[in-house]
Amino acid sequence: SGVPQSAPAQTEGTDSAGVVEELKIGICKEVTPRTLASESGSFGRMNYNAFCAGTWLVRDENNEMQPNLMTSWEILDKGSTIRATFATDQGITWHDGEPFTIDDVIFTVDLMNNKLKSGYLSKITGVEKVDDTTVDFQVADGAAYFTLGNSAVFVRMYPKHIWEGIEDPSGYTGEDAVIGCGPYKLVQVDEEAQTMHYEAVGETYMGRALTVRSVTVRSYDSQDALVMALRSGEVDAMYDYSNSLNATMVDSITGVEGLDPGMSDNPGNYQLVFGFNEQPTDDLIFRKAVRAALDYELLRVTIGGEDGQIPHAGIVAPPNKGFDGSLPELAQDVDEANALLDEGGYVDADGDGWRDMPDGSELNVLITPQYNKTRQALYLRIAEVLKTNLEAVGVQTTMDEESVRNSDHATEVRKQGTYELYIGYTSPGVAMYDTAFMYMIGDNDNNRWGTCLLPEFVAAYEAKKTAGSYEAYNAAMKELQALADEQVVGLALCWDKAYFPYRTDHYEGWTNFPGWGVINYKTWFSTRPAV
C-alpha cells in the first residue's frame, strides 16, 4: 500500500490586510483559442495555474505535487492503482452553476484518453467509482506515481454536461468551451485590446480566502512591448509559461524602481539531441567528439548571458528532483575532439579539407534548430556556434533552413526521427517531472520524437516512469544522468536563469516559482496590496 497524500489545512475568510481588486497580468500569447481543450493562447496557458479551469493537482515552488481538486491520493497494488479523493463534496460548481461531481472526474479521464488523445493519462486503463468523492484508477505498468507526477498542473477537469455531446472536442470553441470550475471565471473578452477579464467565483474557494478579486490578462505582440508595460506600471506581473525573458533583455528590467526582475533558476534548458537513427550521430565516438568540440563558455553567454552556467554532463538542471551534482562540468577540448574523430575513422579521405565518413563517403552533418518564433534568433545563434565549432575540427555541416521557417516541416523531422543534431528546449513544465530525457528516449508514449533506444537507457527511463516514490524516482534519475554522461545521448547547452519580472510597489505576497514566475496557483490566495 502507499502513503496517503492529502490537502493542507484550509483557512476561512479574508483578513483585514486587504484584497487586490484587479490584478493585471501581461503575456505574449493571443486571446484565442478560448477552450478548455487547448493549452495554447493566453486562456490555455493561464489554466496551468489552477485558474479558470480546475486542475486536479498543482506543484509548489519546490516542484512537489500538491493537492487541488484531487484532495488526497494513495498508491496501491505496487503502483497499479491510484485511490483518489476529489473535492466533489465542497460545494464547487461549474461556472454555469452546475455542481462538480465525481462523474465529471470519470468523464474527464475518458475524454482526455479517447478523444483528446492528450497522453497525460495514457497509463490509466480504467476508472472505478468507489463513492461520490472517491475513485480507483487502474494504471498500466505500475506507473501510478509517473501518472500523477506527469499530469500535475496539466490535467484540468471537463464538465460532462457540456462536453459529452461534442463530436470533435479538440476543435470545439463554443461559448461554453471556457466553462471551468476553478477559482476564476471568464466574464469579458476584448479582442481589439487583446484583453480577457476574469472575476473570482466568490470570496473563498475550497475554504481558502481568495485575496485577488479579479484578473485582467493582456496579450502583447512582443516581450519588448510587455517589458515597457511592466516598466510603466500598466501591468503588475509577467507570465508566459516557459517563455522567460531572453537574457539579452535583463538590462531593461534591472534597476527600475518598484520592478523586480523575477530571476530564478530555470528547471528547463536548451539542449542538443542526437539522432540515433542517422549516421554519424548514431556513433558514440562521434557523439563524444561533438561534446568535446563545443565552446561551452560561448554557449553559456549566448544563451544565459552573465547569469548563465556551464552545464554538467548529466543534462538535467540543478532545480530538478533527482539532480546529480557529481557529474563533470562540460568543457571544450579541441585536441580530444580531433583525436576521437581520427579514432573513429572520420578522416579526410579525398583531400578536400573536410573529414569524411569511415567508409570514405561524404560527411556533412545536418543541424536542425527547433521551430519557435519567439526563440528563432537565439536558436540560429546557437546553431552558428555549433557550426563554427564543428567545422573547426574538420566536420562539414549544413543548416536545416527549412525547419527554421516551416513549423510543419520541423514537426515532421522530429516525428520521423530523421534529424542528426537537433537544437531544442525543455520547458520548465516538462522538466518538472518528465525531464529533458523525454526528448531523447525513443518510442515514448508521450512524445515519439526521441530516437535513443539503448537498452540501459530505456530501462532507466522505464524505472523513472514506474517509480513509486521520490526515492525510486531519484535513483532512476541518477542512472539516467550517468548514462547521459557515458553514452552522450544529448547535451545541455546552458543552465540559464528565468526572468519573469513583477511589480513590488503595488502588491506583495508573491512567490517566485523557479522557471515559472510569480503567476502560479498560490497567487490567488496570497497576493495583497503592498503595505
Side-chain angles (χ1 to χ4, degrees), residues 366-439:
L366 191 65
I367 299 175
T368 304
Q370 181 175 335
Y371 177 86
N372 184 298
K373 287 174 66 177
T374 305
R375 299 195 180 101
Q376 185 181 64
L378 178 56
Y379 278 135
L380 288 173
R381 288 200 298 274
I382 295 169
E384 284 299 330
V385 174
L386 267 57
K387 186 176 180 68
T388 300
N389 291 165
L390 291 173
E391 291 184 352
V393 295
V395 176
Q396 188 177 8
T397 66
T398 297
M399 186 81 75
D400 187 352
E401 299 284 356
E402 188 64 17
S403 282
V404 173
R405 60 176 175 261
N406 185 338
S407 63
D408 291 339
H409 173 77
T411 300
E412 196 60 27
V413 165
R414 287 184 64 171
K415 283 187 174 180
Q416 296 300 323
T418 54
Y419 54 83
E420 294 175 42
L421 297 177
Y422 190 93
I423 303 165
Y425 180 72
T426 297
S427 71
V430 170
M432 285 191 294
Y433 187 84
D434 225 356
T435 75
F437 298 124
M438 186 188 81
Y439 295 108

Side-chain angles (χ1 to χ4, degrees), residues 85 99 136 146 152 195-196 235 243 247 249 307 441:
T85 301
D136 282 347
F146 166 81
T195 60
M196 289 196 280
V235 294
N243 289 308
M249 300 182 70
D307 295 323
I441 191 80

Side-chain angles (χ1 to χ4, degrees), residues 339-361:
L340 284 163
L341 289 166
D342 290 344
E343 178 190 343
Y346 299 95
V347 297
D348 182 5
D350 55 13
D352 66 352
W354 295 110
R355 294 178 182 273
D356 296 298
M357 295 287 284
D359 66 1
S361 61

Side-chain angles (χ1 to χ4, degrees), residues 432-474:
M432 285 191 294
Y433 187 84
D434 225 356
T435 75
F437 298 124
M438 186 188 81
Y439 295 108
M440 299 163 196
I441 191 80
D443 196 30
N444 176 17
D445 289 340
N446 295 299
N447 190 318
R448 296 183 180 274
W449 293 338
T451 56
C452 179
L453 287 170
L454 295 172
E456 61 269 43
F457 187 72
V458 172
Y461 192 83
E462 286 301 311
K464 177 178 75 73
K465 286 174 67 172
T466 57
S469 65
Y470 272 123
E471 291 74 22
Y473 176 86
N474 289 346

Side-chain angles (χ1 to χ4, degrees), residues 96-165:
D96 61 359
E98 292 292 318
F100 168 58
T101 71
I102 205 70
D103 288 338
D104 293 314
V105 175
I106 296 168
F107 171 78
T108 293
V109 175
D110 178 66
L111 180 73
M112 293 188 71
N113 276 342
N114 297 319
K115 286 194 173 181
L116 294 175
K117 309 288 186 183
S118 73
Y120 294 127
L121 304 178
S122 60
K123 290 292 185 180
I124 293 181
T125 57
V127 186
E128 181 181 341
K129 179 178 175 179
V130 177
D131 55 40
D132 287 341
T133 62
T134 310
V135 292
D136 282 347
F137 297 116
Q138 283 78 51
V139 189
D141 305 322
Y145 187 78
F146 166 81
T147 296
L148 291 169
N150 187 48
S151 62
V153 175
F154 300 116
V155 171
R156 69 278 310 258
M157 295 292 105
Y158 287 81
K160 180 180 179 181
H161 65 279
I162 292 174
W163 290 86
E164 66 179 339

Side-chain angles (χ1 to χ4, degrees), residues 184-414:
Y184 296 86
K185 58 183 176 182
L186 179 62
V187 295
Q188 187 179 12
V189 178
D190 186 335
E191 297 211 11
E192 186 175 342
Q194 285 286 294
T195 60
M196 289 196 280
H197 187 67
Y198 301 81
E199 291 182 355
V201 295
E203 292 188 2
T204 63
Y205 181 78
M206 291 180 64
R208 299 176 67 194
L210 286 167
T211 62
V212 178
R213 288 288 183 259
S214 71
V215 178
T216 297
V217 181
R218 180 169 178 179
S219 300
Y220 291 86
D221 292 335
S222 67
Q223 290 190 338
D224 288 319
L226 176 49
V227 166
M228 288 299 294
L230 276 161
R231 288 172 62 101
S232 69
E234 184 178 291
V235 294
D236 303 308
M238 171 188 174
Y239 168 72
D240 209 1
Y241 177 49
S242 63
N243 289 308
S244 155
L245 286 185
N246 193 293
T248 59
M249 300 182 70
V250 171
D251 288 345
S252 66
I253 54 172
T254 53
V256 179
E257 188 175 354
L259 184 64
D260 190 305
M263 185 177 80
S264 66
D265 291 331
N266 187 3
N269 58 264
Y270 290 86
Q271 70 228 6
L272 179 64
V273 179
F274 292 99
F276 281 72
N277 295 337
E278 302 294 326
Q279 293 180 321
T281 49
D282 63 340
D283 180 4
L284 176 58
I285 287 180
F286 186 83
R287 297 196 301 274
K288 286 183 174 180
V290 171
R291 178 170 67 183
L294 300 187
D295 184 344
Y296 296 102
E297 174 60 23
L298 180 55
L299 286 165
R300 177 189 76 80
V301 175
T302 298
I303 296 169
E306 288 309 310
D307 295 323
Q309 180 183 347
I310 292 175
H312 295 187
I315 302 173
V316 174
N320 292 290
K321 294 294 178 189
F323 168 70
D324 184 354
S326 70
L327 294 172
E329 183 178 281
L330 297 175
Q332 184 180 31
D333 188 333
V334 173
D335 290 341
E336 182 187 1
N338 279 312
L340 284 163
L341 289 166
D342 290 344
E343 178 190 343
Y346 299 95
V347 297
D348 182 5
D350 55 13
D352 66 352
W354 295 110
R355 294 178 182 273
D356 296 298
M357 295 287 284
D359 66 1
S361 61
E362 182 187 42
L363 170 62
N364 193 325
V365 180
L366 191 65
I367 299 175
T368 304
Q370 181 175 335
Y371 177 86
N372 184 298
K373 287 174 66 177
T374 305
R375 299 195 180 101
Q376 185 181 64
L378 178 56
Y379 278 135
L380 288 173
R381 288 200 298 274
I382 295 169
E384 284 299 330
V385 174
L386 267 57
K387 186 176 180 68
T388 300
N389 291 165
L390 291 173
E391 291 184 352
V393 295
V395 176
Q396 188 177 8
T397 66
T398 297
M399 186 81 75
D400 187 352
E401 299 284 356
E402 188 64 17
S403 282
V404 173
R405 60 176 175 261
N406 185 338
S407 63
D408 291 339
H409 173 77
T411 300
E412 196 60 27
V413 165
R414 287 184 64 171

